[in-house]
Structure formats: C-alpha cells, structure tokens
C-alpha cells in the first residue's frame, strides 16, 4: 500500500501559524479548512518537519471514498504512537459525502490518546465533533492563513529573493488579499524581471492575469455547477452580498441558499455574521469581474455595475454605491456621492479607492486630495502629506471642510523637524515627549482630558528611564478601542509582556499588527512587527 510522503518544505515559515499548530498538547484534532491555494499543504509540511516524534502522512485520493480502501490506507500510514506521535491527513475534501467519512470519524475516536491528528480540507468535513473524544478541536481557517503585509515582505525578501518597496508590498497584499497561491503566481510571472517591471506588474493586477485566472478556473470554478458559476459572475458587482440585494439584481428568490452553498463549499466565499452578509475573496472577485466583462461586453458590464449601484444606494449604502458607480465609470454619480461621503472617505484614506478612481478625479476633488494626504502621512511621507493638506484646504468650498484640512495639516506638522509643537491632541503630546524633558511631559499629561493620556505618560516615563512609573501608567492605559491611540496602548502592553517573558506576548503583537493593517495604520503595523 503506497503511503504519501510530505512535500518538501518550501515557503515562508510563519511563527504565528506554527504557534497555533503547536498549541496545547491536549488537542487531539486540528482542522485546517480553507479554499484552494491558501497554503494548507505547505503549512502541514512545515509543522511535520518540526514535530518531535514519529509522523505519518496520508494524502487522500478520490478512490479513498471506498471505506475499505480508506481504512487500509489510514492504518498503513499510522505512526508508532510512543510518547507522542503525529498523523497528517491532506485533501480531506475528497471524502465529502462518501461512506468513508464515517470510517474516518470512527478511526479518529478510537485513536490512542498520544496520537495527534492534523487534517487539511477545502471544505469542513462531516465529522461528529460533538463527541467528547473530539471536544477540543482546533480550527485554522482562511483568514488565519492569509499572508499579512509584513509576511508578504518577508516572503519576497527571504524566499523569492526579489523584494519590493513598501508601497508595492502593501498594494500586492491588498490586491491578492494575502492569497498564498496568488503570491506564488505573481512571483512566477515576474521572476528575474527588473524592479520597474515588477512594480508595474503590481499596479496592473486587475483580474486579467492568465496564471491566476487559469488557477481559479481549474481549482475553484470547474467543480461548481453552471448555475452557481453564473450566480458568482453576476453577483460579483456587490462589495457585500445579501440575499435581498442578489434577489433584486437577478429577479430571483433563492439567493440565500446559493450564498450559503458557496460558503459551505469554500468557494472563496465567506460570512462573519452567521449568514446575513457574505463577501467574495478579492482575487476571485477580480476574476469574476473580468469574466463578467467578457460575457456582457464592456458596456454591458458597466450597465450591470450601475444597476448594482442603484440597488445599494436605495438601501442607504452610499459608500458602496460610489464604489459600484466607479466600476461602472459613471463619474458624475461618483462626484455626487462624494459630496455626501467625502468626509468618511477622507478619514479612511485613499487606499481602498486607489484601484477604482482615475488620477484626474482624485486631483480635482478636495476630499480625495485630503484622503491622499492621509495616505502619505500614514506612510511617513510628511512633506507630501503637508502639500496635499494645503491643496485640499485651498480647494474646499466650505469652512467646515477647510477646518478639517487645517486640523490634519496641524497634526502632521508637529512631526516635521523644527515644526510647531502645539499639544492640541494626543499626537501633539506624544511629540512633546521627544522635544522636552519626557518626565515632565509625562507628569503634565495627567491633566490631559483624553483617553490617550496614560499612553502619553507611559512613553514619557519610558523615555525618562522611570520604568516603575511607566508600568503604573501603562496599567491605566486603554486599548480596547481600535483608534490609533488605543492600538498604540496595546502595542506598549504587548511589548512589555514580551520583555517580561510572557509567552503570549508575541502572539499579541502579531494580532495587533494584523489589526493595524486592517485599520490602515501601516506605521503602527510596522512598529508592532519591529517589536
């Protein structure tokens, strides 16, 4: 009986995932469940190499759906369970709906307590996880497998040997949404090319890549019934999918069942609220949008995007409507909506819009220029940010808008060499700790009527060398909110834990870096990574 051996360990070893797999030794079963190309097999191989005991490896094949064959292959692959052993099972999805699933369920229950099983599948296996023998099941999903921006940077540098500048790394991470196979395909298509060409390749990622489209067609769409494939293509025009939106767009009544089926099949479709709303993975969505244009023609696809925009606009989702109108290239509608949502766009920065809006539109809208300034500031490009804030202030037609631009410019100016030092918010106070005696600023910050006051005090005391006082201030710091100040307090707390030898400290820093990345605070993500 042939027993598959693990593939060679290729790729970036990511400590946060290895820590999740090592986990408590009492967990008998760990499931890695994610769509194709998310790095499941690579992670299994990396963990198997580090396991300090005998390892058995079994890659399921379609023929293993026969119960007798599966039983024989599992028993042949089982390692000698001494003090501690590991059984790795890959491609579990081939057993879906077969009688062999019950055989595997029984074998897991009867496994010796010293045997740990880690299985990977594209879909959640039909196992009875309510049994007390499997009560402590750990699950690693697609979100955990997603490459964070700093991991993409390490992958390009350490594994592929072809690094990219920080802005391109961020854009590559965003456009591929951390998809492992997409990163590999990008490397294969740009390997050995000059840096300028690789940078242009990042900018050109729009769903038309032959390699990624062929991969998605072969591994995701080929297994779907034509009805589901058509549903995917026609509904890719929504950022967020709901049954009512899809039903109205398609003049149908069964969209909820279709969405739930796609999510169950792990067809790059996910829900985080129990099935009320759904999202398609950005890589799949780009591919679907390209397919939509091929099937309907450019003009027909734009009409379809505009139809989706009208549906979400009628439901009060102005931001999403603006994005849909941008895909429809209806710039008058985008301008009209920017008048309503410009302040929120400016607050979140231009990054989520960068792939949708032409440069001329960004240059002539004050809210978008302000958003561009915030983007530059977030990446530490202070002079460019100041220039954008000044242009936005000149362009604004209302005093409220001009005041917002002035406030952003003033907040950025405190970090310029020799710039003014007003302490109008927590950022100005934090800057003051580097310009005056930090201990004095720390004491003065106790009068600061701002939740970030303890954060300022902590930094001030640390810079002054007063470790005990810093510890007491840190104990009072918030950090439960997702503001920059709140995440900054969490950064100090996690760094403190690492310095104190707390084994949970590194994981807290990794979680913080991911949250800062999601909140578009790249400077804070870099600080967490450095810590």
């Amino acid at each position: 009986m042939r027993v598959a051996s693990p593939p060679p360990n290729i790729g970036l070893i990511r400590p946060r995932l290895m820590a999740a797999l090592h986990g408590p030794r009492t967990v008998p079963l760990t499931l890695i469940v994610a769509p194709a190309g998310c790095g499941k097999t690579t992670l299994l191989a990396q963990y198997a190499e580090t396991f300090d005991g005998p390892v058995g490896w079994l890659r399921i094949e379609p023929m293993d759906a026969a119960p007798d064959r599966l039983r024989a292959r599992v028993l042949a692959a089982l390692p000698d369970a001494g003090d501690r052993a590991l059984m790795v099972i890959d491609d579990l999805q081939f057993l879906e709906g077969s009688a062999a699933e019950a055989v595997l369920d029984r074998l897991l229950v009867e496994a010796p307590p010293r045997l740990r099983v880690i299985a990977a599948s594209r879909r959640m296996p039909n196992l009875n996880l309510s049994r007390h023998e499997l009560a402590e099941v750990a699950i690693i999903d697609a979100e955990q497998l997603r490459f964070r921006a700093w991991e993409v940077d390490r992958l390009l540098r350490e594994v592929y040997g072809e690094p990219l500048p920080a802005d391109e790394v961020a854009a590559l991470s965003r456009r591929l949404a951390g998809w492992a196979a997409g990163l590999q395909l990008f490397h294969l298509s740009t390997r050995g090319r000059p840096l300028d060409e690789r940078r242009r390749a990042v900018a050109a990622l729009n769903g038309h890549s032959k390699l990624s489209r062929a991969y998605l067609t072969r591994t995701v769409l080929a297994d779907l019934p034509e009805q589901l494939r058509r549903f995917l293509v026609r509904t890719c025009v929504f950022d967020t999918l709901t049954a009512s939106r899809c039903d109205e767009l398609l003049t149908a009544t069964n969209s909820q069942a279709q969405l739930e089926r796609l999510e169950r099949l792990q067809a790059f479709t996910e829900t985080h609220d129990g099935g009320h709303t759904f999202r398609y993975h950005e890589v799949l969505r780009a591919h679907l949008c390209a397919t939509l244009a091929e099937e309907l023609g450019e003009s027909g696809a734009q009409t379809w995007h505009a139809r989706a925009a009208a549906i979400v606009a009628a439901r009060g989702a102005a931001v999403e409507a603006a994005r849909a109108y941008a895909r429809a290239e209806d710039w008058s509608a985008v301008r009209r909506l920017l008048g309503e949502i410009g302040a929120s766009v400016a607050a979140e920065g231009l990054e989520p819009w960068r792939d949708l809006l032409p440069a001329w539109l960004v240059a002539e809208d004050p809210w978008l220029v302000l958003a561009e300034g915030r983007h530059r500031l977030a990446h530490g490009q202070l002079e460019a940010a100041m220039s954008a804030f000044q242009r936005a202030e000149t362009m604004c037609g209302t005093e409220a808008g001009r005041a917002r631009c002035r406030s952003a410019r003033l907040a950025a100016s405190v970090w310029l060499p020799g710039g003014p030092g007003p302490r109008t918010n927590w950022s100005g106070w934090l800057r003051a700790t580097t310009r005056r005696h930090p201990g004095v600023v720390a004491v003065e910050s106790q009068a600061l009527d701002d939740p970030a006051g303890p954060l300022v005090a902590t930094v001030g005391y640390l810079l002054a060398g007063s470790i005990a006082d810093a510890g007491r201030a840190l104990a009072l710091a918030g950090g439960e909110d997702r503001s920059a100040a709140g995440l900054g307090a969490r950064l100090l707390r996690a760094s403190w834990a690492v310095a104190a030898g707390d084994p949970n400290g590194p994981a807290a820093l990794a979680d913080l870096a991911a949250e800062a990345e999601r909140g578009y605070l790249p400077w804070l993500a870099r600080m967490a990574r450095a810590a």
Side-chain angles (χ1 to χ4, degrees):
M1 183 71 62
R2 181 173 62 85
V3 179
S5 58
N9 179 11
I10 300 173
L12 179 74
I13 294 178
R14 295 184 276 171
R16 63 182 180 85
L17 292 178
M18 299 299 284
L21 281 178
H22 281 289
R25 296 194 173 197
T26 57
V27 176
L29 174 63
T30 298
L31 295 174
I32 304 175
V33 183
C38 287
K40 301 182 295 294
T41 300
T42 296
L43 180 60
L44 289 175
Q46 290 171 345
Y47 180 70
E49 283 192 4
T50 66
F51 190 78
D52 59 352
V55 177
W57 184 285
L58 178 63
R59 171 165 283 178
I60 301 297
E61 301 170 349
M63 292 181 294
D64 293 327
D68 290 342
R69 174 183 166 86
L70 176 69
R71 184 181 292 105
R73 292 197 71 209
V74 169
L75 293 177
L78 278 174
D80 180 20
D83 292 337
R84 190 166 180 247
L86 172 68
M87 179 68 185
V88 177
I89 305 176
D90 199 6
D91 287 334
L92 206 57
Q93 70 275 358
F94 287 126
L95 301 183
E96 183 181 23
S98 72
E101 278 191 314
V103 172
L104 180 63
D105 192 43
R106 189 71 249 166
L107 290 171
L108 289 173
V109 170
E110 295 172 352
R114 293 181 298 276
L115 179 68
R116 187 174 184 199
V117 178
I118 299 181
S121 177
R122 293 184 187 177
R123 292 179 281 279
M124 194 68 185
N126 185 26
L127 302 175
N128 186 359
L129 302 181
S130 63
R131 296 176 185 267
H132 74 277
E133 295 92 344
L134 301 178
E136 295 185 69
V137 175
I139 298 177
I140 295 177
D141 60 14
E143 170 58 25
Q144 290 167 277
L145 290 172
R146 177 180 64 82
F147 273 75
R148 282 35 173 172
W150 70 89
E151 292 171 336
V152 173
D153 184 46
R154 284 189 57 212
L155 179 72
L156 296 175
R157 291 177 183 277
E158 301 172 16
V159 179
Y160 298 152
E162 294 188 323
L164 284 171
D167 277 359
E168 274 68 33
V169 169
L172 182 64
S173 304
R174 183 185 73 252
R175 288 172 175 149
L176 295 180
W179 183 42
L183 293 167
Q184 169 72 3
L185 293 171
F186 173 81
H187 170 62
L188 291 175
S189 64
T190 61
R191 182 170 49 192
R193 294 187 185 179
L195 177 59
D196 284 348
E197 286 191 27
R198 297 175 64 237
R199 296 176 77 160
R200 287 195 294 271
V202 174
L205 284 172
N206 58 4
H208 292 282
S209 165
K210 290 182 180 179
L211 286 176
S212 63
R213 295 198 68 185
Y215 185 96
L216 289 167
T217 300
R218 183 177 68 254
T219 62
V220 179
L221 301 180
D223 293 336
L224 297 178
E226 174 58 25
Q227 179 189 23
L228 272 185
R229 190 204 68 85
R230 179 179 172 82
F231 180 88
L232 277 169
V233 173
R234 291 298 188 269
T235 57
C236 70
V237 290
F238 292 120
D239 286 354
T240 302
L241 299 103
T242 66
S244 62
R245 289 180 176 187
C246 296
D247 280 345
E248 182 174 351
L249 179 70
L250 303 172
T251 59
T253 58
N254 64 339
S255 295
Q256 183 68 30
Q258 303 278 56
L259 290 166
E260 289 176 355
R261 187 178 180 191
L262 286 168
E263 193 268 338
R264 188 169 59 253
L265 292 174
Q266 286 281 315
F268 281 81
T269 305
E270 60 184 10
T271 177
H272 296 293
D273 55 11
H276 296 290
T277 62
F278 297 80
R279 295 184 75 88
Y280 296 149
H281 191 287
E282 282 305 311
V283 173
L284 175 64
R285 187 178 177 193
H287 169 68
L288 295 173
C289 285
T291 303
L292 181 70
E294 291 171 357
E295 294 182 358
L296 301 183
E298 290 293 337
S299 177
Q302 289 174 3
T303 301
W304 197 253
H305 282 289
R307 181 173 174 178
I311 290 172
V312 296
R315 288 165 166 77
V319 172
E320 187 173 350
R323 294 174 62 82
Y325 277 126
R327 294 187 182 93
E329 298 188 16
D330 185 345
W331 305 121
S332 61
V334 173
R335 280 198 186 96
R336 173 175 52 79
L337 286 170
L338 280 173
E340 303 175 20
I341 65 172
S344 63
V345 171
E348 71 178 358
L350 194 61
E351 198 66 16
W353 297 83
R354 191 168 295 281
D355 298 335
L356 292 175
L357 304 178
W360 61 263
L361 180 59
V362 174
E364 68 179 30
D365 185 275
W367 291 116
L368 296 177
V369 174
L370 178 57
E372 174 67 17
R374 294 190 183 281
H375 167 79
R376 298 298 178 188
L377 182 61
H379 283 276
Q381 300 168 4
L382 294 177
E383 293 183 357
M386 292 288 289
S387 175
F389 293 149
Q390 289 169 344
R391 283 191 292 116
E393 184 177 350
T394 302
M395 297 166 65
C396 271
T398 66
E399 179 54 35
R402 289 191 291 271
R404 187 183 290 268
C405 296
R406 282 195 298 272
S407 175
R409 179 165 52 83
L410 184 63
S413 68
V414 303
W415 297 98
L416 287 171
R423 285 181 268 177
T424 55
N425 61 18
W426 69 272
S427 178
W429 278 83
L430 198 62
R431 176 60 161 155
T433 63
T434 69
R435 292 182 161 183
R436 299 180 53 211
H437 191 293
V440 173
V441 177
V443 173
E444 293 175 345
S445 69
Q446 294 176 11
L448 179 61
D449 184 21
D450 191 304
L455 169 63
V456 175
T458 302
V459 173
Y461 284 129
L462 282 174
L463 293 176
S466 303
I467 304 301
D469 290 331
R472 285 189 286 271
L474 184 58
L476 299 175
E480 299 307 316
D481 63 284
R482 295 185 176 181
S483 66
L487 293 176
R490 282 174 54 189
L491 170 63
L492 284 177
R493 189 172 291 113
S495 301
W496 197 284
V498 171
D502 185 341
N504 296 319
L509 283 171
D511 290 342
L512 173 62
E515 193 164 342
E517 190 180 300
R518 286 194 297 272
Y520 193 61
L521 294 167
W523 60 272
L524 189 57
R526 288 195 293 269
M527 290 180 67
R529 178 184 168 194

